[in-house]
Amino acid sequence: MIELENLKIEFDQKSILKNVDLKTDEDITILGINGSGKSTLAKAICGVLSYSGTIKINGKNIQTTPPKELAKEISYIPAKLENADNFITVSEFVLLGRFVYKENFFAYSEDDKTKVDKALKLFNIEYLKEHPLNSLSSGESALVLMAQALCSDTKTIIFDEPTANLDPKNSKTIALHIKKLKKTKQIILITHDLHLAKFIQNEVIFIKDKKLLHYKKEFFNDKILKKLYGVEFNSMVLKYD
């Protein structure tokens, strides 16, 4: 459940979002033109950007919830894997998803390690287990990020441009995995890829003029798209499966 009440976000004295209200436990896709505030909104929901107003995740106010507890409620998957340690392996990186459950000064449990193995198997990347992170392709990196998020056991997962810079084959793989995760997680998808958005079939939040426009049903209509994006659209043909 995501709840936003009178949310306002500013950056460098510039208003990004203002007077935003939203309450939903549905899967949502966040769309909008460049610079509209899509990623800004996602980072505020995760508690890493300052804002005024109220944000609640599964009933918990993120301003009063300890970071370690908040990390058990929501996971954020960036568009690109950034890592400062060139020697960390895939399994070690995915295991970090269990950090919030680990007792201080104690090693990770066997259950933690089992969850890593299951996540790697789910995304068909067991073969990467001992590979260093800096050896991965963009497609492999995207799957590793998803495996780490899954290990966090959060109820909500935010995907920020998950198919950015991926070829069609890897984009299809990511899209299929996201759709499967909808069965057990609340998915928040941020993307410019309208084909991906249409395939995932979430409710749509479109950010325009610092406001949220909520589309619960039909969105992928040429007239609606033209109105929101300001360019002509022809009917889109999509085949992911």
Side-chain angles (χ1 to χ4, degrees), residues 28-189:
I28 58 175
T29 294
I30 302 176
L31 299 173
I33 64 173
N34 290 337
S36 59
K38 298 183 298 299
S39 293
T40 298
L41 175 60
K43 291 174 182 177
I45 291 173
C46 292
V48 297
L49 285 181
S50 60
Y51 62 89
S52 62
T54 302
I55 299 177
K56 292 182 180 180
I57 304 296
N58 302 318
K60 298 180 180 180
N61 189 319
I62 70 170
Q63 288 185 321
T64 57
T65 302
K68 193 170 183 178
E69 292 306 309
L70 184 60
K72 295 178 182 179
E73 299 292 334
I74 189 165
S75 300
Y76 173 77
I77 301 180
K80 183 179 179 182
L81 193 160
E82 300 286 355
N83 177 54
D85 187 345
N86 290 328
F87 300 100
I88 188 172
T89 66
V90 166
S91 61
E92 290 169 336
F93 178 78
V94 174
L95 189 58
L96 291 174
R98 300 298 302 165
F99 181 78
V100 294
Y101 300 97
K102 186 172 76 69
E103 294 186 40
N104 291 338
F105 309 113
F106 284 84
Y108 288 98
S109 68
E110 289 304 313
D111 181 59
D112 292 331
K113 296 174 183 177
T114 297
K115 287 181 181 294
V116 170
D117 289 338
K118 287 183 177 179
L120 295 176
K121 184 176 182 180
L122 177 66
F123 295 112
N124 300 312
I125 51 174
E126 309 102 301
Y127 67 95
L128 294 174
K129 185 174 182 178
E130 300 305 324
H131 288 216
L133 280 185
N134 62 358
S135 69
L136 305 181
S137 68
S138 295
E140 291 169 339
S141 295
L143 291 171
V144 168
L145 284 167
M146 292 176 71
Q148 188 193 69
L150 193 65
C151 279
S152 297
D153 281 338
T154 58
K155 297 176 183 177
T156 303
I157 301 178
I158 295 178
F159 289 86
D160 195 347
E161 297 287 359
T163 57
N165 302 313
L166 296 185
D167 60 42
K169 182 178 180 180
N170 280 303
S171 293
K172 176 181 177 179
T173 298
I174 296 300
L176 291 171
H177 280 304
I178 292 174
K179 199 156 191 179
K180 288 178 183 178
L181 287 173
K182 288 178 58 176
K183 297 176 181 178
T184 56
K185 306 290 183 181
Q186 181 186 21
I187 299 300
I188 300 176
L189 171 65

